[in-house]
Amino acid sequence: MLNFIFKFLFKISGWKLIGEFPKDLKKSIVIVAPHAKSVDFPIGIGARAAMGVKMGFLAKKELFEGPFGWLFTFLGGYPVDRSSNNQVVKAVTTLYNSKEELHLVIAPEGTRKDVDKLKMGFYFIAKNSQVPVVMIGFDYAIKAIVISEPFFTSNDSHGDLRKIAEYFNKIGGDKKTWVSNYLKY
């Protein structure tokens, strides 16, 4: 019932999906960008319901504290402590290896502010877990969630990051500094 409500709100707010999440895919790390607005989260929850795919998400632990912390857990969140090197990649890789099916969403920019480069945790999680990356772009210009085909990392991290930047460069709206930086490779 709750997914129906989220899907309904997503549709009536004028958003649409472009592309389709590969339903036969049992595991993936889903990266969303640009992460620029506070409404990214509710739009993402609506998009997830519209896609009809069970997905959890990684988010800063601070969101899970306080009066609304229970809500982020209820919606499928996993808190991440970003304050120190605490083996997040290893822990999430272990989580992937322990599950038959798992799709986790992460915003690799790590913040809504403009950044020069992505946080690389998603990349190492995908590589170490041997799961594909599914890229999802928020195109605010046309109110669309743009879904990529699965992308498998290679042994060329610079080339992989360039391909990721090329994908997000096609998404409308303001371009982020990290996109142009990776396109220089």
Side-chain angles (χ1 to χ4, degrees):
M1 179 64 167
L2 195 56
N3 271 345
F4 174 78
I5 293 168
F6 289 135
K7 183 178 179 179
F8 176 74
L9 293 172
F10 178 76
K11 297 283 185 185
I12 66 165
S13 66
W15 283 83
K16 63 184 177 246
L17 300 176
I18 297 177
E20 194 169 314
F21 194 90
K23 300 247 190 297
D24 60 330
L25 198 60
K26 292 193 179 279
K27 295 180 183 181
S28 70
I29 185 88
V30 179
I31 60 171
V32 296
H35 181 34
K37 301 178 188 264
S38 58
V39 295
D40 291 349
F41 183 75
I43 292 168
I45 294 296
R48 178 179 75 175
M51 285 184 249
V53 177
K54 183 178 178 185
M55 294 181 203
F57 60 91
L58 301 176
K60 61 184 178 181
K61 72 176 178 76
E62 292 80 7
L63 292 174
F64 297 83
E65 299 167 354
F68 295 105
W70 65 271
L71 180 62
F72 291 100
T73 301
F74 175 75
L75 292 173
Y78 293 86
V80 174
D81 181 359
R82 303 180 309 168
S83 65
S84 64
N85 181 3
N86 56 14
Q87 306 295 320
V88 172
V89 170
K90 184 177 180 183
V92 176
T93 299
T94 301
L95 181 63
Y96 270 99
N97 291 335
S98 72
K99 302 279 188 182
E100 188 71 29
E101 293 187 26
L102 182 63
H103 301 285
L104 287 178
V105 179
I106 189 167
E109 293 163 310
T111 181
R112 290 188 308 263
K113 298 174 186 158
D114 194 18
V115 295
D116 293 334
K117 61 183 182 174
L118 299 178
K119 296 197 177 282
M120 293 298 292
F122 81 92
Y123 186 82
F124 295 114
I125 291 166
K127 195 163 202 51
N128 295 347
S129 303
Q130 299 179 348
V131 299
V133 175
V134 176
M135 296 171 271
I136 295 184
F138 282 70
D139 190 333
Y140 280 92
I142 60 170
K143 292 182 95 171
I145 301 297
V146 186
I147 307 162
S148 78
E149 293 291 321
F151 172 77
F152 288 88
T153 59
S154 71
N155 290 325
D156 177 10
S157 62
H158 290 295
D160 290 346
L161 290 170
R162 180 176 175 78
K163 288 176 184 171
I164 290 168
E166 286 170 351
Y167 177 79
F168 285 107
N169 194 44
K170 296 177 200 169
I171 307 298
D174 294 337
K175 296 298 181 242
K176 296 288 198 145
T177 302
W178 69 265
V179 171
S180 58
N181 285 346
Y182 289 124
L183 291 175
K184 294 176 188 173
Y185 286 163

